Every structure is written in C-alpha cells, then in structure tokens.
Amino acid sequence: MSFEQDKRSLYERRRNILYLVANYFSIMGLDQSRQTLLEETHLTEEFEVCDNIDLDTIYQEYCSYYLLKFGKQPKVVKRNESYVAQPSSVPVMPQRKQSGSCRKRPQVTTVKPLALSPRAESEADTDIKGLQTNLIVSQLGNQPSATSPGKGCDTQPVFGKTTDNGNPTAAVAIPSVKPFIRLHENYSSEWKELADVVCRDLIKKDLQQRWDQIKGLDSAIKLLKESVVTPLQYPQLFVGLTKPWRCVLLHGPPGTGKTLLARTLCSETRGSITFFNATAATLISKWRGESEKLIRVLYDVAKFYAPSIIFIDEFDGLASRRDSVGEHEASKRFKNEFLSLIDGLDSGADDERVFLLASTNIPWEIDPAFLRRFEKKILIDLPDVAGRRAIINELLPESSDWGLTQMDELDSTTKHFTGDEIRIVCKEASMMVIRDQIGQNKGSQSASTSSTRPNVVKFVQFKTALSKIQPASLGIIEKHHEWNRKYGNSS
C-alpha cells in the first residue's frame, strides 16, 4: 500500500468513526453534543451513516465475535482508580424518549470540511460517493413538516380553532415529531429487520379523503370519531371506565364502504396518529415462528408510536376458526399470539393507545375468541334512500335537476345496490356521454374533442346504465342482518 493510499484509508476510517458517533448522538437524542461534535471536527451534512450499520450493531457483533473466540464477554470499560467521586456527581445515562415527547430537530449548518490536499480530497470524495443512503427505520418517525414550529414541537395535536360557543371547528392536526424507533427497548439486529418489514405498511401520505365525502354512513363515522378523534380532543373525559373503544369490527357486504371509512380515518388523523395498513403478505411468513414475531413487533412499533391505528382488511383471512378441519399448527400459533396481544396479560395499559380496526365480508368465519375482543361489531349496511340520493348527487350534480317522479323511480330501482355499485352506475352513465361525443366527432377529423365540453348525464342515460348492472349483495345481505342480530352491536 502506497503512502497516499494509507493516508486516505486512515482519513476515511477516522471520518467514518466520527460520523458513527454523531449518528449515535442523534439516536440517543443528544442533539447539542452532536452539533458540538460536528463543529469541532468540521464534519458536514453532506454524508450520513448507512442504514445497515451503527455503533450499537458494531458493539453487538464485536461482543459475539469475542465470545465465540475467547469464550467470555469482552471487558470494555474498567474502573478508574484515580477518580475521586464528588458528592453531587451522579452519572446520568441517556434515557429513551417516550412516545409523543418533544425533541428538538438538529440544526443543519454548513461547515468547512477537513483540510486536505486537493488530490487527497478529490480521491476521498470519489471513494465515498456511495455513502449517501437513506435510513429506513430510524427516520420513519422524524419526517420534516412545514407546519411544525422551528424550535421544538407540540406534544398534543392541535384540532383547529374554537368558536365563540366553545365548539371546535374542523379537525386540523399538526404533525408532531416522533422519536427514533431505534430508541425502543427491544431494539436489536433481528428486531430491527422485523421492524423494517412491518413499517412498510406505514401510511405516511395523505389519501385525500374527508368525512364530508362519505354519504350514507353517518352512524359508522360517529363511532370512529368517538373512538379515535374525540379522545385526542378531550383526553380528560376518556378515563377509567369511559376509555375509548380499542377494537372495532366493520362487517357488511362488499362495496358498502368499510375500506373507505379506514381511508378517511387515515387521512383525517394524518400527522397526529400513526396508521398501519397491515396485510397478510406482511404478517404471514413461511419460516417457522416468524409470523408470531412479526405480529408482536407490529404491536411493539404501534405502542412506541402511539397513538396508533392498526387496520386489517379482510380480517377473516387472519382470524379464521381454529377448530376448523385442516387447521395448521403454525396458523394456530399465530392466532394465539395475536389474541394475547389484543387482550392478553401485558395488554390494555392506559398509555398504549393502540386502536385495532378490522373489516370483513364474512364475519361468521372469524374465530369466537377474536369476536369477543371486538368491543364494537358494526354492520355497514346498504345505503338507505337518503344515502343513495346523496351518493348520486355527489357524483352527478346534474341529478338535482331531475324531476321528483324520476328520483322516486330511482329510489325503488336502486334499493339493493351498495354504494360502490351506485358509483359504478354513475361512471357507466358518464362513459355513455363520452361515447356519444366520440361518435359525433368521429366523422369530422378537424373537430377538437378536447375543447368540447362534455354534456351532462341525462336521466335516460342513467337508467340505461342502471339496467346493465345487477346488485351482487342480494344473497348475502340477509345473512349479515341475521348475524348482526345475534352478535353485532348498534352504534
């Protein structure tokens, strides 16, 4: 190795160690120490530590290597014989920050790099271009927000202003800065890998869905607000026996709006509540025992980022009856672990604030133990007359000009249609208008179809589109009503 190569290797090794120390300070919340280190060592924010390495991982791997080679744990620190303890000197270890705590974001400053010769600096920059890799788990709870204050953050979400009569206006949550997941007490290399898997189901974007866009589901909306939104506005009221609902099951025929309610809840609580869209593809693994670990890590991460919502669509696929013929042992172990996490010995603490929302089309296939843990089992029924009219008016504003006799005819014709089927009818009617326009402009090549404003949907076109679509829930809706009378709850 030449002198220049040896010099560059020494420079890179020392620089990487400094970056690792700065990253560890950031993980432990020692932002002032990190900033002082950056200023004294002239490190820049141009590079960051890769997501597959940190001081804690290096220390664990070194201890494993030392134990395997010498048969004992390494001794890293020893008592300093010349140290004289002062009466007021009490060593304080860095503490893990709890969920919802306010942490100051590190100030990004531009400082001068280490002084090197132009040649050595050019070679070093060439060799370290691959270091710019984004962190995965450690940055999930620390996304920058334009609405967050510059110095510090709010520990409680802000839900709009208050009117003169004391009633709050529309909920507008200000995102709060979440702590690093690496501060979790169970953090290890294996736990980190599983946390990376479950955190892929974290929804961090706005799904652009609002409560006023949902028609015909007022009772279900009221229950979800009572379970999630209202306790954040008035936490002093929901204590003791009046704690918010922790588990809610939405059941009903396909297309009635169960998943739409979950999307809206995610959008309305974005920034103040962590939303997990858990799927079977994430929680079920082919390796023995890994499915149970995944569901436990999911609850660990949800508790760490509380308040949290875990939404599981098609819940019957994960919680089918355990006494069914051909039930596999691995599936039983997963369900038993899931049951213990929902309502087990170490669950139900007041500070957990983990809300489980599930939806299913066949609730009679769910294991009774899971049904017992759902405090609310709400039937998302077919929309009534007012709901169907509201959906049509929302999708087709021109329907407000239709006559009363025509609307009465639609009320009887769309009696057994779900909300999604009515949406498909409205879309089909709109497509019929476009087909007519394309047919009219087909003979004239000079006509610009893009500049032609589409005509409104007429009642005849809507009625024609309605005749092309048949309701698919006729055979299952009565079964849902019967099951709801036996096991369900009214909102």
Side-chain angles (χ1 to χ4, degrees):
M1 181 180 294
S2 63
F3 175 75
E4 290 294 336
Q5 291 178 343
D6 185 50
K7 182 179 179 181
R8 184 178 60 184
S9 177
L10 178 63
Y11 160 76
E12 292 181 357
R13 183 169 68 252
R14 292 179 176 177
R15 181 209 57 195
N16 292 342
I17 292 176
L18 292 175
Y19 272 114
L20 284 170
V21 174
N23 179 65
Y24 185 75
F25 283 166
S26 177
I27 292 175
M28 299 305 297
L30 305 175
D31 299 328
Q32 186 175 359
S33 302
R34 176 182 180 273
Q35 188 63 29
T36 304
L37 177 65
L38 293 178
E39 294 175 356
E40 291 183 355
T41 58
H42 303 289
L43 296 179
T44 65
E45 298 283 353
E46 182 182 1
F47 303 104
E48 60 183 7
V49 179
C50 297
D51 59 344
N52 60 344
I53 195 66
D54 53 47
L55 276 182
D56 190 58
T57 303
I58 294 175
Y59 181 83
Q60 293 181 22
E61 292 180 354
Y62 170 73
C63 292
S64 301
Y65 161 77
Y66 195 92
L67 180 63
L68 182 64
K69 184 176 182 180
F70 299 102
K72 60 180 181 179
Q73 292 290 345
K75 191 173 181 180
V76 181
V77 296
K78 64 178 182 178
R79 185 175 297 277
N80 186 3
E81 302 297 340
S82 60
Y83 172 74
V84 179
Q86 300 295 330
S88 60
S89 177
V90 179
V92 179
M93 296 298 294
Q95 298 294 326
R96 177 177 69 88
K97 294 190 175 182
Q98 301 297 327
S99 174
S101 62
C102 173
R103 62 173 302 175
K104 182 178 179 181
R105 279 185 281 176
Q107 301 292 333
V108 180
T109 58
T110 304
V111 294
K112 297 181 180 180
L114 293 173
L116 292 175
S117 63
R119 178 182 177 184
E121 184 176 359
S122 176
E123 292 178 353
D125 292 340
T126 303
D127 293 341
I128 59 181
K129 287 183 178 180
L131 288 179
Q132 284 186 313
T133 305
N134 293 330
L135 296 176
I136 300 178
V137 176
S138 60
Q139 289 184 348
L140 284 175
N142 293 271
Q143 301 296 333
S145 174
T147 58
S148 298
K151 296 182 180 180
C153 62
D154 295 333
T155 57
Q156 295 293 338
V158 178
F159 285 87
K161 299 179 180 179
T162 304
T163 58
D164 295 336
N165 56 3
N167 297 325
T169 59
V172 180
I174 296 179
S176 59
V177 180
K178 298 286 186 178
F180 283 102
I181 191 63
R182 291 186 178 185
L183 300 179
H184 195 280
E185 56 186 5
N186 293 333
Y187 181 80
S188 62
S189 57
E190 180 184 9
W191 191 91
K192 173 191 170 184
E193 294 177 0
L194 298 178
D196 284 335
V197 173
V198 300
C199 285
R200 294 172 188 169
D201 293 336
L202 252 174
I203 298 181
K204 295 176 287 183
K205 62 181 181 180
D206 189 2
L207 301 181
Q208 304 296 330
Q209 190 70 34
R210 298 297 179 259
W211 294 121
D212 55 2
Q213 298 176 347
I214 302 180
K215 309 298 180 182
L217 298 177
D218 296 336
S219 60
I221 292 175
K222 181 180 178 181
L223 175 67
L224 291 180
K225 288 184 178 180
E226 178 185 288
S227 303
V228 180
V229 180
T230 310
L232 292 178
Q233 294 176 297
Y234 310 101
Q236 69 278 5
L237 300 179
F238 293 86
V239 293
L241 187 61
T242 59
K243 289 189 300 183
W245 308 112
R246 296 178 56 248
C247 301
V248 173
L249 176 67
L250 305 177
H251 69 94
T256 52
K258 300 181 294 296
T259 307
L260 183 62
L261 289 171
R263 287 174 55 89
T264 309
L265 183 63
C266 176
S267 299
E268 290 286 353
T269 59
R270 177 177 175 267
S272 58
I273 294 180
T274 310
F275 195 94
F276 294 86
N277 182 25
T279 60
T282 301
L283 300 179
I284 302 301
S285 174
K286 66 178 181 179
W287 304 109
R288 181 181 178 89
E290 189 165 302
S291 298
E292 299 93 288
K293 294 180 181 178
L294 284 170
I295 188 63
R296 178 166 287 276
V297 170
L298 172 61
Y299 263 81
D300 287 344
V301 177
K303 293 175 184 177
F304 185 78
Y305 282 143
S308 304
I309 299 175
I310 299 177
F311 173 66
I312 302 179
D313 200 3
E314 307 299 339
F315 187 73
D316 52 277
L318 294 177
S320 59
R321 290 180 174 271
R322 290 173 291 176
D323 57 355
S324 59
V325 179
E327 180 75 10
H328 197 271
E329 178 189 357
S331 178
K332 289 183 179 180
R333 292 198 310 268
F334 170 79
K335 295 171 186 177
N336 293 337
E337 181 71 19
F338 199 175
L339 288 170
S340 65
L341 291 172
I342 296 177
D343 191 17
L345 183 63
D346 57 346
S347 63
D350 294 339
D351 57 348
E352 285 183 1
R353 295 178 296 167
V354 177
F355 177 68
L356 175 63
L357 178 64
S359 66
T360 180
N361 300 325
I362 44 178
W364 44 86
E365 296 292 338
I366 299 179
D367 190 86
F370 282 98
L371 292 178
R372 199 274 302 171
R373 283 162 171 79
F374 282 103
E375 300 169 297
K376 283 288 186 178
K377 297 175 277 291
I378 303 302
L379 171 62
I380 308 300
D381 206 349
L382 301 179
D384 54 7
V385 175
R388 295 197 297 272
R389 287 192 178 187
I391 295 174
I392 296 175
N393 292 334
E394 177 75 15
L395 299 176
L396 300 177
E398 58 269 20
S399 62
S400 58
D401 299 333
W402 297 347
L404 182 60
T405 306
Q406 295 172 334
M407 294 303 300
D408 292 338
E409 183 180 353
L410 290 183
D411 293 341
S412 59
T413 309
T414 60
K415 182 178 180 180
H416 301 289
F417 280 71
T418 63
D420 191 61
E421 290 169 344
I422 295 177
R423 179 192 62 84
I424 296 176
V425 173
C426 296
K427 184 177 181 179
E428 177 63 24
S430 301
M431 292 296 294
M432 292 174 63
V433 176
I434 296 179
R435 295 190 195 107
D436 294 341
Q437 289 185 347
I438 294 176
Q440 294 174 2
N441 298 327
K442 192 172 183 180
S444 176
Q445 298 294 335
S446 60
S448 177
T449 58
S450 61
S451 61
T452 304
R453 183 177 180 180
N455 297 325
V456 297
V457 176
K458 299 179 181 179
F459 174 77
V460 178
Q461 295 172 324
F462 186 87
K463 188 176 180 180
T464 304
L466 190 61
S467 62
K468 295 181 179 180
I469 299 174
Q470 300 298 325
S473 59
L474 286 175
I476 195 175
I477 185 60
E478 187 58 35
K479 193 171 183 180
H480 274 281
H481 286 164
E482 182 65 24
W483 189 89
N484 188 64
R485 285 191 290 267
K486 292 182 178 179
Y487 309 103
N489 307 106
S490 60
S491 57

